[in-house]
Amino acid sequence: SPREAIKAETLLNEMIDSYTRQDKGAVRPNARHFGTVIAALARSGHYEAADKAKKLLKTLLVWYHDSNDYEMMPNGSMFCDVIVAIGRRRNDRHKVLKVSNLLKNLRDLYDETGSDRLQPNVAVYEAALGALSSANGEDAVQMVEDVIDEMKSKSIEPNKACYTSIITAFARNGYPEKAEAVLKNEVLASEDERVIANAHDFNVVINGWARDASPEGLKRSRALLDDMLDRYGNGNQHVKPDSRTFTALINALWKSDDANATLEAEEVLQLMEESYINGDASVAPSCHSYTSVINTFARSNVPDKAARALALLRRANEQYEAGNVDARPNISMYTGVLNACAYTKGMKEAKAEALRIALEIAEELTGSPSLQVDGVAYNTLFQVYGYLIGDAEKQARLSSALLKQCCKDGQLNSHILSTLKKFAPTVYFKLPGAHDGFVKLGALPEQWSRNTRR
């Protein structure tokens, strides 16, 4: 647990301080003490675990180089644990650099000592690739490729965890074709019984293609699902499509410009619902599934998309009340319906119905004890008023009331200010600090945006 790991770290630091001061009876910590605490921190989930583990390893390295004592020599497992801790840290912009430096330090130390305990092995590379799989950017992709090359140069075969991390890193960073190539050419083609493709591997690649938001991405997503169905039909239980698989395909449909996207997305959702009712819990539609279909309608030119989106929200709630806890509507689903309302085009009647639905949703959100209206939802409501209310006076009145509630909830952000300036300038220019046609978020009371990133 985090608490126990911090206790262990505190005890080790006391030992370090006592020995450094040369207190009477002080015990010098050895590499085993450091390794135990580093491992505990790496697995603790503590928000400072990575920094603390890295600092301990750095201290041990200094002690080892100063003493040249075998008992103070670190081992590859310690580097591995620090890398794991770094990998678990979210939103670390320097993750790739940190992993790269640790691998370099380990290689240099191995070259210096020739000790087997410091030779980079598959566990070290597994940790490095695992950390890189959650990193973003071209540098992450390049380093994954560097690690692959390094493993090949040392004749180290990647294990299943390595392949999964490689696939994930490529897919999340805009290289779905590379992710698919690894899946097909390495994992599916492997004769190693320990390297078996599963539904998760396919799902990651399909999601990668969905992010591509292109006709080719949708084509590849469909082909991968068909491949899964064929393999499953031929007896491969490991690749049975699940809820995430079908939701990934819906995501691909949502982000494509396919003319039949809404129809196909709703058909996929209906298949999931029917399969779940017939006893297959693995394909139970989730909140994300319904939200993705709603978003598909919101992006479409379907005249009655607001009503269709609302119907999907109601279906999700029915699923939840019937026992499918994963289908519980959240604020993103409600925002999707509001988005469908805001971008309803066509006849006056269609826009009037969309406005009615949006006001119904707004009332539900206001009275909900479990749903927190966020900045995205507020901004979408301001857009609804801007696009669907032709009467400028009525629009300003509703926007003013909504702005008061938004500020009370601490959800004001720069996007909302831009929307207000565009659609309700009379409300916008009444804000304090309006100067030269512009209102700075930073000049407004902090309480108004306390729950957002300023």
Side-chain angles (χ1 to χ4, degrees):
S1 70
R3 181 179 298 176
E4 297 304 316
I6 296 303
K7 284 182 180 180
E9 183 217 12
T10 301
L11 180 57
L12 176 58
N13 283 329
E14 288 174 357
M15 292 176 68
I16 293 170
D17 292 342
S18 178
Y19 181 76
T20 302
R21 291 192 305 264
Q22 297 184 340
D23 293 345
K24 185 177 180 179
V27 177
R28 185 186 71 167
N30 59 31
R32 186 174 296 178
H33 293 112
F34 280 87
T36 300
V37 177
I38 288 171
L41 286 168
R43 289 158 180 75
S44 69
H46 190 277
Y47 70 99
E48 288 184 316
D51 291 337
K52 290 176 177 292
K54 186 181 175 186
K55 182 179 178 181
L56 286 176
L57 179 58
K58 183 178 180 180
T59 300
L60 179 59
L61 285 168
V62 171
W63 280 26
Y64 169 67
H65 282 116
D66 287 348
S67 67
N68 201 28
D69 185 341
Y70 182 81
E71 283 195 0
M72 300 306 297
M73 181 189 289
N75 58 39
S77 294
M78 297 180 198
F79 284 87
C80 203
D81 287 333
V82 176
I83 291 171
V84 167
I86 290 170
R88 290 179 175 176
R89 189 172 183 174
R90 295 182 179 180
N91 303 320
D92 186 342
R93 292 179 297 172
H94 305 295
K95 185 178 292 186
V96 175
L97 180 61
K98 290 175 182 178
V99 173
S100 177
N101 287 340
L102 282 164
L103 284 180
K104 183 180 185 304
N105 290 342
L106 179 58
R107 286 193 299 265
D108 290 347
L109 200 56
Y110 173 67
D111 291 341
E112 174 190 324
T113 65
S115 173
D116 289 343
R117 65 193 291 181
L118 287 164
Q119 184 173 17
N121 57 21
V122 69
V124 171
Y125 293 118
E126 177 186 327
L129 290 167
L132 294 169
S133 71
S134 61
N136 297 318
E138 290 292 330
D139 56 341
V141 173
Q142 183 59 57
M143 187 166 178
V144 167
E145 294 179 330
D146 291 344
V147 171
I148 294 171
D149 290 341
E150 187 172 324
M151 293 179 74
K152 286 180 180 177
S153 71
K154 297 178 182 294
S155 299
I156 297 176
E157 283 293 324
N159 59 22
K160 180 55 170 60
C162 290
Y163 282 125
T164 297
S165 296
I166 293 167
I167 289 168
T168 303
F170 285 152
R172 73 176 287 141
N173 284 297
Y175 290 90
E177 69 284 355
K178 290 186 177 183
E180 185 173 349
V182 173
L183 173 62
K184 290 187 172 180
N185 300 334
E186 304 295 340
V187 182
L188 290 171
S190 176
E191 296 181 357
D192 187 341
E193 61 183 16
R194 295 167 299 180
V195 180
I196 299 174
N198 55 33
H200 173 76
D201 299 322
F202 277 89
N203 295 347
V204 169
V205 180
I206 293 173
N207 268 316
W209 278 118
R211 292 190 192 97
D212 191 61
S214 68
E216 180 63 19
L218 179 56
K219 178 183 175 182
R220 296 307 313 152
S221 297
R222 286 169 171 153
L224 284 162
L225 175 57
D226 288 342
D227 190 12
M228 292 178 76
L229 291 169
D230 287 344
R231 291 174 186 275
Y232 175 63
N234 288 324
N236 186 345
Q237 298 292 323
H238 299 288
V239 297
K240 179 182 181 294
D242 56 19
S243 176
R244 288 184 175 87
T245 312
F246 291 111
T247 302
L249 177 60
I250 293 171
N251 285 338
L253 288 161
W254 158 32
K255 294 172 182 178
S256 74
D257 291 320
D258 192 272
N260 297 314
T262 53
L263 177 63
E264 187 175 345
E266 199 161 22
E267 286 177 349
V268 172
L269 180 64
Q270 187 172 350
L271 173 64
M272 295 172 73
E273 290 174 331
E274 291 173 354
S275 298
Y276 174 63
I277 291 171
N278 291 330
D280 189 352
S282 71
V283 294
S286 65
C287 171
H288 189 186
S289 309
Y290 285 99
T291 302
S292 292
V293 180
I294 288 170
N295 289 337
T296 306
F297 273 100
R299 193 179 183 192
S300 75
N301 293 318
V302 176
D304 60 344
K305 62 184 179 182
R308 301 281 288 275
L310 178 63
L312 286 161
L313 172 64
R314 301 300 182 226
R315 276 165 61 180
N317 197 56
E318 288 171 5
Q319 279 271 331
Y320 171 65
E321 292 179 347
N324 181 4
V325 295
D326 290 335
R328 183 179 186 179
N330 62 13
I331 190 61
S332 294
M333 193 184 300
Y334 277 88
T335 303
V337 178
L338 290 174
N339 202 34
C341 295
Y343 290 95
T344 294
K345 303 183 186 303
M347 303 294 289
K348 184 183 296 185
E349 293 78 6
K351 291 186 175 182
E353 175 65 5
L355 178 60
R356 184 196 67 76
I357 290 171
L359 294 174
E360 180 182 331
I361 291 296
E363 186 176 352
E364 283 185 28
L365 290 174
T366 302
S368 173
S370 60
L371 289 169
Q372 173 65 53
V373 184
D374 59 17
V376 178
Y378 272 117
N379 190 51
T380 310
L381 264 172
F382 282 116
Q383 290 175 332
V384 166
Y385 294 165
Y387 285 124
L388 300 181
I389 299 176
D391 186 327
E393 184 178 339
K394 180 180 179 181
Q395 183 193 126
R397 186 174 69 253
L398 288 175
S399 294
S400 181
L402 185 63
L403 178 61
K404 288 180 182 177
Q405 186 61 47
C406 175
C407 293
K408 181 180 178 181
D409 289 344
Q411 295 291 347
L412 186 66
N413 59 40
S414 57
H415 296 292
I416 292 172
L417 289 178
S418 296
T419 301
L420 275 174
K421 185 178 182 181
K422 178 179 180 180
F423 292 114
T426 57
V427 176
Y428 178 83
F429 286 111
K430 287 181 181 178
L431 287 167
H435 181 68
D436 292 334
F438 185 72
V439 176
K440 291 183 178 181
L441 183 64
L444 299 175
E446 287 189 14
Q447 281 290 100
W448 292 3
S449 58
R450 66 188 181 277
N451 293 320
T452 68
R453 293 183 179 179
R454 289 174 70 86

